[in-house]
Amino acid sequence: MSIVLGPNRYGKAETRLVRVVREGGVHHLKDVNVSSSLSGDMRDVHLTGSNAAVLPTDTQKNTVYALARKHGVDQIEDFALLLAAHFVDSQPTIHHARVEIDEYAWNRVADRGHSFVRDGSEVRTCVVHYDRDGAVSVVSGLKDLVVLNSTGSEFHGFIEDEFTTLQPTNDRILATALSARWRHTGARSAFGSSYGEVRRCLLEAFADTHSLSLQQTLYAMGERVLDTRPEVCEVRFAMPNKHHFLVDLSPFGMDNDNEVYYAADRPYGLIEGSVLRDDAPDAGFAWE
């Protein structure tokens, strides 16, 4: 039996970058979290400890700051592509780069040019892979987008066994903290407008679907995106069911006609799935 080195990568996780662009008295803020992972000719560093092929993770961190100063940070997908290409194209021992970026939104305070308040809604995300052989993939996304329908959701007809206590319902609150990622058909796109349109499709499909299950809603959201956005070939979802249970007020001689609930944070149902075009290219390493 022989022992061999398996797949490996290394990098700098969560490099926090805030960039301010000043246009007179009006400032623009970009707040991102960048993680890079590199792989390639790394056999010797694992087997002998030789670092000759290693680009230090501290250098990866500094590269994030330097390229942000040199090129700016507009759409996070474009900045991730810039970083990934730099790591691979500048270093012969680096064959593959993965760059993941989370973006945190800030809103300007009224008409103040330099005052901002943190937007507490979803986090915008992207993952970019860039390979020396020319393969490139871009996955955009969002996470922690909390949405709720106060009616228009049912759940019944499910399996019932000796351990089932859940009662069927024809009217319930449906809520989730949505995480969605979508794979682009090409490595270049108008990522900013695409993000806004995909987000709109997700929200409209969630609101428009009379749901018999969260799975049905998941599919409707993915279908709406793919029907509307030709630059997207696959959407993947993670949708925790944020349960809302009616409070039993009968001990107090009171009814409760779908008005008073308690929100349970755990345990929760977790619904995951993907919706894709039947001719979508192989995902390869896109989702890793």
Side-chain angles (χ1 to χ4, degrees):
M1 179 186 71
S2 60
I3 298 174
V4 297
L5 176 67
N8 61 87
R9 64 187 182 191
Y10 76 102
K12 200 68 163 183
E14 300 197 32
T15 297
R16 293 290 281 111
L17 164 66
V18 176
R19 190 173 192 271
V20 180
V21 176
R22 293 170 170 82
E23 295 181 349
V26 177
H27 296 177
H28 305 276
L29 194 66
K30 202 74 170 182
D31 184 356
V32 297
N33 195 28
V34 183
S35 295
S36 55
S37 294
L38 309 181
S39 56
D41 186 11
M42 298 295 151
R43 182 179 182 277
D44 285 349
V45 67
H46 289 86
L47 273 61
T48 71
S50 170
N51 294 310
V54 174
L55 183 70
T57 65
D58 189 66
T59 304
Q60 296 176 45
K61 174 202 69 178
N62 293 339
T63 302
V64 171
Y65 296 135
L67 294 191
R69 175 64 183 90
K70 183 177 181 180
H71 298 283
V73 183
D74 186 13
Q75 303 305 317
I76 57 174
E77 293 89 348
D78 289 321
F79 189 57
L81 282 164
L82 177 72
L83 285 166
H86 171 85
F87 290 132
V88 173
D89 295 344
S90 66
Q91 303 299 328
T93 60
I94 306 301
H95 300 165
H96 185 94
R98 176 191 186 273
V99 178
E100 179 176 5
I101 302 181
D102 290 349
E103 179 179 357
Y104 311 105
W106 292 81
N107 295 323
R108 200 179 307 282
V109 175
D111 58 352
R112 273 61 169 185
H114 62 274
S115 296
F116 300 84
V117 58
R118 175 70 178 269
D119 187 337
S121 62
E122 78 275 8
V123 175
R124 181 175 170 179
T125 68
C126 78
V127 175
V128 163
H129 287 266
Y130 184 97
D131 203 85
R132 185 170 294 282
D133 65 7
V136 181
S137 73
V138 180
V139 174
S140 300
L142 55 81
K143 60 184 178 181
D144 301 326
L145 177 61
V146 180
V147 290
L148 182 150
N149 284 334
S150 56
T151 191
S153 175
E154 308 178 32
F155 192 58
H156 48 76
F158 46 80
I159 294 173
E160 298 187 48
D161 66 10
E162 66 269 30
F163 302 120
T164 301
T165 59
L166 183 68
Q167 297 299 304
T169 179
N170 293 309
D171 190 7
R172 66 169 182 170
I173 287 178
L174 182 68
T176 185
L178 175 65
S179 292
R181 298 181 295 161
W182 49 94
R183 181 161 57 102
H184 293 268
T185 56
R188 299 291 176 181
S189 182
F191 294 115
S193 58
S194 177
Y195 177 85
E197 287 301 300
V198 171
R199 184 182 187 275
R200 178 185 62 81
C201 290
L202 294 172
L203 292 177
E204 289 181 355
F206 179 82
D208 293 345
T209 303
H210 184 98
S211 179
L212 302 180
S213 67
L214 190 52
Q215 288 91 333
Q216 179 192 11
T217 300
L218 178 155
Y219 185 83
M221 295 168 78
E223 184 179 43
R224 181 76 63 92
V225 171
L226 296 177
D227 279 344
T228 307
R229 305 306 305 174
E231 75 275 15
V232 176
C233 61
E234 182 178 2
V235 190
R236 294 192 180 185
F237 296 93
M239 300 173 69
N241 201 330
K242 299 179 74 68
H243 298 294
H244 291 69
F245 297 108
L246 279 171
V247 178
D248 181 10
L249 299 178
S250 60
F252 317 117
M254 303 171 68
D255 64 4
N256 186 8
D257 185 17
N258 290 336
E259 292 185 20
V260 180
Y261 300 82
Y262 71 91
D265 61 348
R266 57 179 58 85
Y268 54 85
L270 178 59
I271 312 303
E272 299 176 290
S274 63
V275 184
L276 67 160
R277 304 184 192 279
D278 58 9
D279 60 350
D282 179 56
F285 43 62
W287 306 99
E288 298 175 1

